[in-house]
Amino acid sequence: MTKPHPTTPPDPRLNQILAALPAADYARLRPDLELVDMPRGWTMSESGDHVTHLHFPTSGIVSLVYALEDGASSEIALVGNEGLIGISIYMGGESLPSSTEVQCAGQAYRLSRKVMKHEFALGGQLQRLALLYTQALIVQTSQMAVCNQHHTVEQRLARWILMSMDRLQSNKMAITQERISLMLGVRRESITMAAAALQKDGMIERSRGVISLVDRPLLEERVCECYLAVKQECEHLMPQPSTPKAGT
């Protein structure tokens, strides 16, 4: 799970938080950043685990998942290259009640707890960006709780697809409807019906575990207000730098 990728490594600044660091801060941090692969299905940490590393994704999607005692689970947040994984390291706790699971394969640069705590103690830009991202993450989890309570499965699926595609920076993703049902905490049959309705209206296409976004403007009309609320708040809180292209 933690071996560097054998091909040309991605620029760490494909992660928007690392990209927003001043040149001096980034140069100081760069030697301590270790590239790791994030294969689909990898549970990066379980609920209650002592988190030893902070991860800055450059690609892929990681879900924060809350599991109940009866085995049911629900996704409470999505993280892509706009954010980081492991906020308990600098928020004062040793662990989080949620687990972290890779939904779409990608890569990340990890930073040890020791180095992050030292950086945080400096009170510089990394501290500021990490706290701003934590606020954006709280907004996302709060809005998703409201969405799950008040909006239809079709609206929630539309929101999930748009949020996922934003983080992948793509119009296609490999994921099964069964997996989506687990993330949204609803029956698979409900996801199948909702996805069929979106496909019938020309917004998405489904084939062999792949979802393709066909008409984004139309899907954005169908989605509930939660998608835009989370997106706008994240853009308001976090800097939106122009990141290097993969392979540069």
Side-chain angles (χ1 to χ4, degrees), residues 165 179 218:
M165 297 297 185
R179 191 62 188 167
L218 197 57

Side-chain angles (χ1 to χ4, degrees), residues 18-92:
L18 295 179
L21 290 175
D25 290 16
Y26 176 75
R28 183 178 65 252
L29 205 63
R30 182 63 184 93
D32 293 306
L33 293 171
E34 178 188 3
L35 179 64
V36 296
D37 286 328
M38 300 192 303
R40 184 169 65 170
W42 177 31
T43 299
M44 300 173 70
S45 64
E46 296 278 6
S47 171
D49 279 357
H50 178 79
V51 180
T52 60
H53 289 84
L54 201 72
H55 287 79
F56 298 90
T58 58
S59 58
I61 298 177
V62 178
S63 294
L64 305 187
V65 180
Y66 193 95
L68 301 175
E69 291 182 357
D70 63 3
S73 63
S74 182
E75 182 182 71
I76 59 175
L78 285 171
V79 182
N81 74 329
E82 85 289 354
L84 55 83
I85 305 294
I87 65 172
S88 62
I89 286 178
Y90 57 82
M91 291 300 290

Side-chain angles (χ1 to χ4, degrees), residues 21 61 74-75 98 113 117 132 134 161 164:
L21 290 175
I61 298 177
S74 182
E75 182 182 71
S98 59
R113 169 186 285 266
K117 282 185 170 292
L132 284 173
T134 301
I161 291 172
S164 297

Side-chain angles (χ1 to χ4, degrees), residues 48-243:
D49 279 357
H50 178 79
V51 180
T52 60
H53 289 84
L54 201 72
H55 287 79
F56 298 90
T58 58
S59 58
I61 298 177
V62 178
S63 294
L64 305 187
V65 180
Y66 193 95
L68 301 175
E69 291 182 357
D70 63 3
S73 63
S74 182
E75 182 182 71
I76 59 175
L78 285 171
V79 182
N81 74 329
E82 85 289 354
L84 55 83
I85 305 294
I87 65 172
S88 62
I89 286 178
Y90 57 82
M91 291 300 290
E94 293 297 315
S95 64
L96 288 175
S98 59
S99 61
T100 54
E101 303 175 11
V102 178
Q103 295 305 321
C104 294
Q107 293 178 293
Y109 281 89
R110 72 178 190 177
L111 191 68
S112 71
R113 169 186 285 266
K114 178 181 178 181
V115 173
M116 182 58 183
K117 282 185 170 292
H118 173 72
E119 286 290 325
F120 218 74
L122 296 177
Q125 189 70 353
L126 181 57
Q127 181 197 65
R128 177 178 175 274
L129 290 168
L131 290 176
L132 284 173
Y133 178 70
T134 301
Q135 183 176 342
L137 198 63
I138 292 171
V139 169
Q140 184 185 161
T141 57
S142 301
Q143 194 72 44
M144 287 177 102
V146 172
C147 188
N148 292 342
Q149 182 70 23
H150 295 285
H151 296 139
T152 67
V153 173
E154 187 177 304
Q155 289 174 314
R156 292 163 59 189
L157 176 60
R159 169 186 57 77
W160 190 88
I161 291 172
L162 288 169
M163 290 179 68
S164 297
M165 297 297 185
D166 286 348
R167 284 155 179 78
L168 288 176
Q169 299 177 13
S170 171
N171 287 327
K172 184 179 294 186
M173 67 182 300
I175 192 164
T176 64
Q177 292 180 178
E178 181 178 4
R179 191 62 188 167
I180 296 174
S181 71
L182 291 173
M183 291 299 96
L184 295 183
V186 299
R187 295 168 59 248
R188 179 179 175 180
E189 293 79 5
S190 298
I191 293 296
T192 299
M193 292 176 61
L198 296 179
Q199 180 167 315
K200 180 182 178 182
D201 291 341
M203 303 175 197
I204 66 170
E205 288 184 357
R206 301 168 295 157
S207 63
R208 297 183 179 275
V210 174
I211 292 180
S212 300
L213 179 55
V214 177
D215 193 327
R216 172 179 279 269
L218 197 57
L219 190 61
E220 289 179 347
E221 289 181 9
R222 182 73 63 91
V223 75
C224 56
E225 67 267 28
C226 298
Y227 166 68
L228 195 57
V230 171
K231 184 176 182 180
Q232 289 179 337
E233 187 64 16
C234 186
E235 290 175 349
H236 168 70
L237 289 169
M238 302 297 297
Q240 304 296 311
S242 55
T243 55

